[in-house]
Amino acid sequence: MAYRETEKMRKRKAEARQRIVSCAYQCVAENGFRSARVTTIAAMAGVATGTIYRHFESKEDLFAEIFRLATQREVDKVAEALASHGDATVRLEAALRQFAERALRGPVMAWSLIAEPVDPKVEEERLAYRQAYAELFEQAISEGMEEGCIPEQDARQSSTCLVGAIAESLVGPLSPAQINSRAEPRNDNYEPLVNSILRFCIQGLTGTRR
Amino acid sequence: MAYRETEKMRKRKAEARQRIVSCAYQCVAENGFRSARVTTIAAMAGVATGTIYRHFESKEDLFAEIFRLATQREVDKVAEALASHGDATVRLEAALRQFAERALRGPVMAWSLIAEPVDPKVEEERLAYRQAYAELFEQAISEGMEEGCIPEQDARQSSTCLVGAIAESLVGPLSPAQINSRAEPRNDNYEPLVNSILRFCIQGLTGTRR
DNA sequence: ACAAGAACTGAATAATGATTCACTTGTTTG
DNA sequence: CAAACAAGTGAATCATTATTCAGTTCTTGT
């Protein structure tokens, strides 16, 4: 015998894969899924087109992974905010704010995750992504009901409404038309928009105005 | 001279166009935009492929028209509900209910209008569609604030949240996976789902539980 | 019936990109 | 070093459909 898989090779291969993933990520973050080309990504990563297919079944699979990755970052941040101190309402508000502000600061990727038309496999990931949020919020709402700061309700349903209300409110501001037409440097003040969204969300949850 | 445009021909042409439109509509209502083929539509309408292009610049244009048409029906129904009697809150609730129930009864088309990935020109129509709803609701919310049954708030922002909360709540139940797996005959009871969505929406608007 | 012009036809074309694969290069071990 | 095998290469291929257009058929007014 002669060749055997070795640690060195395993590592090199993993590095190449990693390079492909980050270049693909960058492409998507800059221009969305639609305009990301396999050949471009390969060139950026310094590999041949075919090499992409040694690491991923298909473009859709690669993109699904990118989506999952980007998603995970966002969900983690929201989970983090949700784990902070305060009663459930306060924590939920912090989490929703995190969600909205991060989206507004990284609008191209946010738009890709929330609203860009994507292929079926990626769309599946999107459903999972929305569910991940819904589950996080659901958990917090349930806690709030136990704590007594949120009245009895269908926690899952309310959490879905939260995700929808925020996502819809962001679709306009995040749409490519809006993004491309805004001046550099971007120093927008998101406060009023975010506050206004949160007012509706918190009130929908608790029935109280502040 | 010989040929001149005549009433008879104008009518015949309009009929052909109409036939194309309704066949395209039917295709979309049955399987969504993605799987609707120009050649299939032509065959259904009993014309040659090329004929489609005598009536529409491109497939995207045809689809944009279909989208607009389908949209108009829905928006009209909601506007109608919004024009009924009662205070603004009652009218809004009726309108939101109309929106949700109609979607659940015609799930394939509703999914296409709300969430199916579509081409850019159609996506534009979708933005317009969502705005049409947002404007209707905004108007009603403003009236409610004048009447005093809805507290002061950014009417446009709230109306956007309404659209989002409902749309998101429907995405799950309307997704092709859900739809295809449900038994025939469909005799689902939508009441609980719809009530639960409305609870959140009305409370978000008015800050009161019922 | 005929000429002039519209409208219709549908097989052929075009465009877009993802994917493949025969070949080259690199790695490992005896 | 050589054999054995893996990994990498990228030009060529393939697949999918929208779109075109040269030729045909239909309408109209004389």
Side-chain angles (χ1 to χ4, degrees):
Chain A
M1 85 216 66
Y3 184 95
R4 198 84 56 74
E5 183 174 63
T6 186
E7 192 49 44
K8 183 184 165 195
M9 281 310 280
R10 227 183 332 263
K11 192 178 163 194
R12 176 187 296 194
K13 215 180 158 185
E15 279 167 4
R17 186 190 155 99
Q18 181 50 44
R19 218 163 48 246
I20 291 167
V21 167
S22 28
C23 291
Y25 191 100
Q26 194 186 332
C27 278
V28 173
E30 274 164 17
N31 296 297
F33 287 100
R34 171 173 272 270
S35 62
R37 304 269 166 268
V38 174
T39 46
T40 310
I41 293 167
M44 273 174 77
V47 299
T49 327
T51 303
I52 301 257
Y53 290 87
R54 306 238 153 225
H55 295 277
F56 299 91
E57 278 282 304
S58 68
K59 182 182 119 152
E60 273 193 83
D61 282 293
L62 168 58
F63 281 8
E65 173 147 345
I66 300 305
F67 196 101
R68 227 174 295 129
L69 245 162
T71 282
Q72 197 56 54
R73 285 192 193 180
E74 298 306 310
V75 169
D76 286 350
K77 289 287 177 188
V78 166
E80 205 178 286
L82 223 36
S84 65
H85 292 301
D87 70 17
T89 312
V90 170
R91 288 181 283 128
L92 269 163
E93 181 166 346
L96 295 170
R97 189 179 293 278
Q98 182 80 295
F99 180 137
E101 284 180 351
R102 284 184 60 83
L104 289 163
R105 280 200 299 269
V108 179
M109 182 55 97
W111 182 74
S112 290
L113 298 184
I114 293 173
E116 185 183 5
V118 292
D119 288 315
K121 271 190 187 169
V122 180
E123 185 69 29
E124 257 180 60
E125 295 296 328
R126 179 177 283 158
L127 281 192
Y129 155 70
R130 296 189 156 203
Q131 267 192 323
Y133 277 120
E135 272 160 31
L136 281 179
F137 293 144
E138 179 182 4
Q139 173 66 27
I141 294 170
S142 297
E143 288 165 18
M145 294 192 302
E146 277 173 33
E147 290 174 20
C149 65
I150 295 178
E152 286 301 316
Q153 57 194 281
D154 178 338
R156 168 50 75 106
Q157 180 55 53
S158 295
S159 94
T160 303
C161 286
L162 290 180
V163 173
I166 298 196
E168 180 74 22
S169 298
L170 295 176
V171 165
L174 294 179
S175 77
Q178 289 295 310
I179 294 302
N180 293 331
S181 71
R182 82 187 183 184
E184 298 283 357
R186 323 188 245 107
N187 62 344
D188 309 358
N189 180 12
Y190 309 132
E191 276 287 302
L193 170 60
V194 175
N195 285 337
S196 175
I197 300 173
L198 288 189
R199 201 219 92 256
F200 184 95
C201 287
I202 297 299
Q203 189 168 301
L205 234 33
T206 66
T208 51
R209 283 188 291 297
R210 292 170 314 138
Chain B
M1 84 218 65
Y3 183 95
R4 199 83 56 75
E5 183 175 61
T6 183
E7 193 47 45
K8 181 184 166 195
M9 281 310 279
R10 223 178 341 259
K11 192 178 164 194
R12 175 186 297 194
K13 215 179 159 184
E15 277 167 3
R17 187 191 154 101
Q18 179 51 45
R19 216 161 51 243
I20 291 166
V21 166
S22 27
C23 291
Y25 192 100
Q26 194 186 332
C27 279
V28 173
E30 274 164 16
N31 296 297
F33 287 100
R34 171 174 272 269
S35 62
R37 305 269 165 268
V38 174
T39 45
T40 310
I41 293 166
M44 273 173 76
V47 298
T49 326
T51 303
I52 301 257
Y53 291 86
R54 309 234 146 229
H55 295 278
F56 299 91
E57 278 283 304
S58 69
K59 183 183 121 153
E60 273 193 82
D61 281 293
L62 167 59
F63 281 8
E65 174 147 345
I66 300 304
F67 196 101
R68 225 175 297 130
L69 244 162
T71 282
Q72 197 57 55
R73 285 193 193 179
E74 297 307 310
V75 169
D76 286 351
K77 288 288 176 186
V78 167
E80 204 178 283
L82 224 35
S84 65
H85 292 301
D87 70 18
T89 312
V90 170
R91 286 182 283 127
L92 270 163
E93 182 166 345
L96 295 170
R97 189 178 292 279
Q98 183 79 295
F99 179 137
E101 285 182 350
R102 285 185 59 83
L104 289 163
R105 280 201 299 268
V108 179
M109 182 55 97
W111 182 74
S112 291
L113 298 184
I114 292 174
E116 185 182 7
V118 292
D119 289 314
K121 269 190 187 169
V122 180
E123 186 68 30
E124 259 180 61
E125 294 295 328
R126 179 177 283 159
L127 281 192
Y129 155 71
R130 295 188 156 202
Q131 268 194 324
Y133 276 120
E135 272 160 31
L136 281 180
F137 293 144
E138 180 182 2
Q139 173 67 27
I141 294 170
S142 297
E143 287 166 17
M145 294 191 301
E146 277 173 33
E147 291 175 18
C149 64
I150 295 178
E152 286 301 316
Q153 58 194 279
D154 178 338
R156 168 51 73 108
Q157 180 56 51
S158 295
S159 94
T160 303
C161 287
L162 290 180
V163 173
I166 299 196
E168 181 74 21
S169 297
L170 296 177
V171 166
L174 293 179
S175 78
Q178 288 297 310
I179 293 302
N180 294 330
S181 72
R182 80 187 186 184
E184 300 282 357
R186 322 187 248 108
N187 61 343
D188 310 356
N189 180 11
Y190 310 131
E191 275 287 303
L193 170 61
V194 175
N195 285 338
S196 175
I197 301 172
L198 289 189
R199 201 219 92 257
F200 184 95
C201 288
I202 296 300
Q203 189 167 301
L205 234 34
T206 65
T208 50
R209 284 188 291 295
R210 291 170 313 135

